[in-house]
Amino acid sequence: MNSAILSIEPEAPAMANVSNDPRWQAVLTRDGASDGKFVFAVSSTGVYCRPSCPSRRPRRENVSFFVHPGEAERAGFRECLRCRPKVLAGNPRQQLVKAICRYIEQHLDEPLTLAKLSAEFRQSAFHLQRTFKAVLGITPKQYADSCRMRGFRQKLKAGHSVTRAMHDAGYSSTSRLYSRTASELGMEPAKYRRGAIAAPIRYLLADSPLGRMLVAATEKGICSIQFADCDEELEQALRQEFPFAVRRRDDGDLAHFVQNVISRMRGSEPAESLPLDIRATAFQRRVWTYLQSLGIGETKSYSEVAKAIRHPSAARAVARACATNPVAIVIPCHRVVRSDGDSGGYRWGIRRKEKLLQMESAK
Ligand SMILES: [Zn+2]
């Protein structure tokens, strides 16, 4: 016991200039940045505190300093229940941040504010946020968001509905989720879920007049027709579109689909209609169905399509529907051009669109 007391920081109540001790200044100013560097013990109460403790300041002559909470306890002091200095023991910043993380994880279903964390951990909001960011590189709010997003992804993968997964993951409002998920998931939640639980997918890579082509199908029908300059690019795009589906390369079975698509590209009337297995919003479906009614070599402007599907002011949405067409050629979005005669955009590049239109008009 005596040897323990000997390890206490030398404290000399009789010292003349005690109030000049920077540690005492830190206590007087409740300096959060000094938390973890030392604790101060108060002989009149028998309690030790961290410098930022909100409790009333003791008289200077009753105060002694210790580097670690353990030393204060060996000297007979109790931990203050208000500022809980032991939470900051060890590597103080990391301990604090760890504790904040655990707290956030357990309160994901509540709105998280810095003020709340600041009250819970008895740190100024500024100091708490700065410490958190210094250790983890993100703010507490970003950490909470990433926890929610992780939970949300897991629910979707497990096949829960978007609404249910959203609720379970602690999202309070749909709009908030949708505003975040486009960037986080890389796609809309509903689409992500489809990718998550999609049926097994077979695909074939082949040469075409427009470069390398991928045709992918579920057992119900074609789910993707894409073009790119190389196979890696095509396979990566398929992986992004259907991240959790079992994807299997299949050079035999899909060959007749490929022949059908290539003869369409050369401007021949298709010998047979191809089964599709694609998801669409009601609007996309209207646009895509209309496009399938266009003849070879026939083109329409975006606003003409909008009028034809009785949404005359929706030319921009028509352009979006074309840009998100999952099956090139079979849904002939290349036949939609700008009203000034310019060929407009194309999901697989403007050169490919122009070449397609040339091949069709040559017929
Ligand atoms: Zn305290």
Side-chain angles (χ1 to χ4, degrees):
M1 192 64 191
N2 277 345
S3 64
I5 289 174
L6 286 178
S7 74
I8 295 169
E9 290 249 308
E11 178 56 26
M15 211 158 71
N17 248 338
V18 280
S19 57
N20 282 348
D21 189 323
R23 294 175 299 183
W24 177 237
Q25 291 307 314
V27 169
L28 286 180
T29 57
R30 296 185 168 86
D31 175 25
S34 296
D35 285 357
K37 291 180 184 157
F38 65 92
V39 296
F40 69 96
V42 183
S43 59
S44 53
T45 60
V47 165
Y48 70 92
C49 291
R50 56 165 120 158
S52 71
C53 182
S55 65
R56 214 156 57 87
R57 297 296 88 163
R59 296 165 63 93
R60 175 64 186 94
E61 61 264 31
N62 293 333
V63 169
S64 48
F65 298 104
F66 299 90
V67 175
H68 297 295
E71 292 172 359
E73 296 196 350
R74 281 195 294 277
F77 293 98
R78 285 174 291 110
E79 184 190 25
C80 168
L81 294 177
R82 227 174 142 186
C83 67
R84 291 181 293 179
K86 274 208 278 197
V87 172
L88 290 172
N91 182 331
R93 297 200 321 167
Q94 287 188 1
Q95 294 294 331
L96 171 66
V97 170
K98 240 189 228 170
I100 296 172
C101 288
R102 296 298 89 78
Y103 178 87
I104 290 173
E105 287 155 16
Q106 285 157 17
H107 296 81
L108 285 176
D109 49 346
E110 298 164 23
L112 177 80
T113 64
L114 213 45
K116 202 176 196 177
L117 286 179
S118 151
E120 182 67 27
F121 289 91
R122 304 188 190 286
Q123 301 269 321
S124 77
F126 173 77
H127 180 246
L128 184 143
Q129 172 120 315
R130 195 181 54 179
T131 307
F132 197 92
K133 218 175 159 185
V135 172
L136 285 188
I138 54 174
T139 64
K141 185 173 180 314
Q142 287 169 326
Y143 181 77
D145 285 342
S146 76
C147 288
R148 290 195 186 102
M149 189 55 66
R150 199 188 313 136
F152 180 61
R153 274 201 199 99
Q154 283 163 357
K155 298 286 180 192
L156 287 183
K157 280 190 206 174
H160 291 285
S161 78
V162 171
T163 319
R164 161 89 191 279
M166 209 168 64
H167 178 263
D168 289 353
Y171 282 102
S172 50
S173 88
T174 316
S175 59
R176 204 169 129 220
L177 176 72
Y178 272 76
S179 67
R180 291 189 46 78
T181 43
S183 54
E184 294 275 341
L185 296 175
M187 61 190 97
E188 301 160 18
K191 188 170 180 187
Y192 186 87
R193 176 168 177 266
R194 286 199 300 278
I197 58 177
I201 288 170
R202 296 167 297 145
Y203 67 94
L204 189 155
L205 300 162
D207 278 322
S208 85
L210 302 184
R212 293 296 282 172
M213 173 171 73
L214 173 145
V215 176
T218 66
E219 49 204 8
K220 286 188 197 151
I222 295 175
C223 59
S224 183
I225 298 176
Q226 312 283 338
F227 298 103
D229 293 331
C230 66
D231 292 356
E232 291 74 43
E233 207 181 313
L234 288 168
E235 289 180 309
Q236 193 190 338
L238 186 69
R239 208 159 41 235
Q240 275 171 9
E241 184 103 20
F242 303 98
F244 306 108
V246 178
R247 299 171 303 270
R248 187 164 54 85
R249 200 167 161 165
D250 183 336
D251 290 336
D253 242 15
L254 298 173
H256 69 286
F257 284 161
V258 170
Q259 283 319 308
N260 184 309
V261 173
I262 287 177
S263 70
R264 285 168 193 248
M265 289 163 73
R266 299 217 160 98
S268 309
E269 285 292 348
E272 51 169 338
S273 67
L274 290 173
L276 295 182
D277 182 12
I278 57 175
R279 275 70 168 180
T281 64
F283 185 84
Q284 283 172 324
R285 195 166 292 281
R286 288 175 85 145
V287 174
W288 294 348
T289 304
Y290 175 76
L291 296 185
Q292 289 182 299
S293 75
L294 296 176
I296 292 162
E298 189 180 359
T299 60
K300 294 282 180 193
S301 72
Y302 294 101
S303 52
E304 280 172 331
V305 175
K307 268 179 220 146
I309 61 166
R310 295 201 210 96
H311 282 279
S313 62
R316 286 172 69 99
V318 168
R320 264 200 306 281
C322 292
T324 51
N325 173 20
V327 285
I329 315 295
V330 179
I331 293 174
C333 61
H334 59 278
R335 292 180 190 151
V336 189
V337 297
R338 289 203 341 214
S339 46
D340 60 8
D342 188 291
S343 49
Y346 191 50
R347 181 170 172 181
W348 298 279
I350 194 68
R351 279 184 305 108
R352 291 195 175 94
K353 183 175 190 174
E354 281 165 355
K355 180 149 190 207
L356 272 176
L357 292 171
Q358 269 169 22
M359 288 192 291
E360 292 198 349
S361 62
K363 271 280 157 166

